[in-house]
Amino acid sequence: MRNKELFRGRRKAGRLVGLVLTLALAVSLLSGCGQSKERLTFGTGGTAGTYYSYGGVLAQYITNNTNVKVTAVSTGGSKANLQSVQDGDFQLGFVQSDVMAYAWDGVRAFEQDGATHDFRTLGGLYAETVQLFTMDPDIKTVKDLKGKSVSIGAANSGVYFNALDVLNAGGITLDDIHPQYLSFEDSKESLKDGKIDAAFIVAGAPTTAITELATTNGVYMINIDGAIRDSILSDCPYYTSYQIPAGTYPGQDEPVETITVKATIVVSENLDDDTVYDMTAAIFDHADEIASENAKGEELSLENATTGMTIPFHEGAARYYAEHGITVDTKGE
C-alpha cells in the first residue's frame, strides 16, 4: 500500500511539473507572438519636400526587411535632424553632406550650438545640386552677379552657405550684391516679377520651381565651373563636381556644369551594428524596387553611398559595404 501511494504521489508530481512546463511554454510562445519591433524615428524634412516623401518610402523598406519599425516624421530639415539625433529623439535622419560636416566641426550653422559627434553616416543617397539661375540673358557667369539682387536662401540655411561658397570663390562678398533671403517658391515668384535678378536653389534636378519658371517664362542656368569650381572643391571636400544634363529643364539645350552636395542618411552612434547593417541592406539591396516608388531611388548605388562623405560611417554600414568590396572610414581618420 505504501508503495502504491508513493507511486501515485510521484505521478501527480510529474503531472504537475508537466503542467507547469506546458504553461511556461505557452506563455513564452504567446509573449513571442505579441512582441513588437523596436521603434525608430526617422527625421526627414517639410511635407512638401523630397526628404519627407522619399523618407516615407525608405522607412517602409527598412520596416519590411529588418527587425525594427521605422517611422518617418516631418521636420525642419538637416540641422533639426542632427540635433534630434544628438538629443536621442531620432535614431535616423536626412542631412545634407555639407551640413553634417558643419555639425561635426562646430562651424557655420553649428557655431553657436557647438560640435556634435553623436551621429554616424549610413550612406549617401542622391545629389543635391547647387543651381544658379536667372531670367537676365546678360548674366552669364558668377562674376556677373556683382551689383545684382540675388536670392541666397534663408539665413544660415544650407542654401545660404552653399551660395556663400560660390560667391566667395568668385571674389564676391555679400556687400557686392543685394542679398535676398528667399525660399524656393518665393525665389521663383520674385524672378518672375522682376524683383530679383538671380537665385540659388540647392535640390535634386529637375527642381519644380525652376521647371515651372522655365516652362512659363524661360530661364538661363549659370555654370559654376573653371577656377571657381576648382577652388570650392579644393577648400570644401563635401562638394563634388556635377553636370546637369541637357534637356533637364525646358529650353536647356546644353549641359550645365556645377557642384553638388549629397542627401545623406545619418544614424545615432548608439544603434547596434547588426541593426544598422540590416537597415543598410534593406535600402541598397532593394534599390530597383525603391526607384519604382520614388524617382530619387534611381540614384541609389554603392558609389553614391560611399563617396564624398567626410564623416565616419557606422560600423554596421561599413560591414555591409565591406562585403561589397568597399572600405569606408569609421574612425574619422
Side-chain angles (χ1 to χ4, degrees):
M1 177 68 72
R2 182 184 173 95
N3 288 340
K4 287 183 178 180
E5 289 177 357
L6 184 60
F7 177 76
R8 290 195 193 100
R10 288 175 176 172
R11 189 169 60 185
K12 287 179 180 179
R15 283 202 300 264
L16 181 60
V17 170
L19 178 60
V20 169
L21 290 174
T22 300
L23 288 172
L25 179 60
V27 169
S28 174
L29 290 173
L30 287 171
S31 63
C33 291
Q35 282 179 343
S36 60
K37 291 185 173 185
E38 180 184 2
R39 295 178 178 271
L40 305 180
T41 303
F42 182 4
T44 60
T47 56
T50 302
Y51 276 5
Y52 182 72
S53 59
Y54 194 27
V57 173
L58 296 180
Q60 168 198 332
Y61 275 86
I62 294 173
T63 298
N64 291 346
N65 294 281
T66 69
N67 290 322
V68 296
K69 176 177 174 56
V70 175
T71 301
V73 297
S74 175
T75 72
S78 295
K79 183 177 180 180
N81 294 340
L82 286 166
Q83 290 175 325
S84 293
V85 169
Q86 180 183 26
D87 294 340
D89 297 328
F90 297 170
Q91 293 72 47
L92 304 86
F94 264 133
V95 186
Q96 282 188 199
S97 56
D98 54 336
V99 178
M100 60 196 259
Y102 305 158
W104 193 265
D105 296 332
V107 299
R108 290 190 159 185
F110 286 82
E111 189 169 6
Q112 290 187 341
D113 300 307
T116 170
H117 293 174
D118 297 315
F119 65 96
R120 295 292 184 271
T121 303
L122 182 147
L125 301 181
Y126 64 88
E128 294 195 274
T129 312
V130 180
Q131 300 171 84
L132 176 56
F133 62 107
T134 182
M135 292 176 60
D136 184 346
D138 293 329
I139 300 178
K140 293 181 169 60
T141 69
V142 172
K143 294 182 182 295
D144 292 334
L145 296 177
K146 278 192 175 183
K148 304 297 185 181
S149 181
V150 183
S151 172
I152 57 174
N156 291 318
S157 67
V159 178
Y160 170 81
F161 288 115
N162 299 147
L164 284 188
D165 289 337
V166 174
L167 293 170
N168 290 340
I172 299 173
T173 69
L174 292 185
D175 291 335
D176 296 323
I177 63 172
H178 303 289
Q180 305 296 315
Y181 305 93
L182 305 176
S183 68
F184 294 177
E185 184 66 20
D186 289 341
S187 293
K188 179 193 75 174
E189 293 300 322
S190 294
L191 271 172
K192 189 164 60 175
D193 295 340
K195 295 179 180 178
I196 61 174
D197 300 299
F200 284 89
I201 281 183
V202 182
T207 303
T208 301
I210 302 177
T211 298
E212 291 177 355
L213 193 62
T215 301
T216 58
N217 297 78
V219 298
Y220 301 95
M221 304 294 294
I222 300 169
N223 285 292
I224 301 171
D225 58 2
I228 291 177
R229 182 164 66 180
D230 291 344
S231 174
I232 294 170
L233 296 179
S234 174
D235 293 341
C236 309
Y238 41 77
Y239 286 110
T240 56
S241 59
Y242 191 79
Q243 185 182 83
I244 302 173
T248 299
Y249 294 107
Q252 180 208 339
D253 298 326
E254 300 291 334
V256 176
E257 299 296 332
T258 185
I259 55 176
T260 182
V261 291
K262 194 171 291 184
T264 306
I265 291 183
V266 298
V267 296
S268 169
E269 66 166 341
N270 295 322
L271 283 179
D272 69 87
D273 293 357
D274 288 343
T275 296
V276 177
Y277 173 90
D278 290 343
M279 292 195 297
T280 309
I283 294 172
F284 292 97
D285 284 354
H286 297 88
D288 290 342
E289 298 99 306
I290 291 171
S292 70
E293 297 192 41
N294 188 291
K296 287 303 171 191
E298 295 176 2
E299 296 186 46
L300 283 175
S301 70
L302 295 181
E303 181 181 5
N304 258 349
T306 55
T307 57
M309 299 290 104
T310 61
I311 306 306
F313 282 78
H314 194 285
E315 291 284 358
R319 172 153 51 99
Y320 176 85
Y321 298 128
E323 290 179 354
H324 292 79
I326 300 173
T327 301
V328 295
D329 175 28
T330 60
K331 306 297 183 184
E333 299 172 348

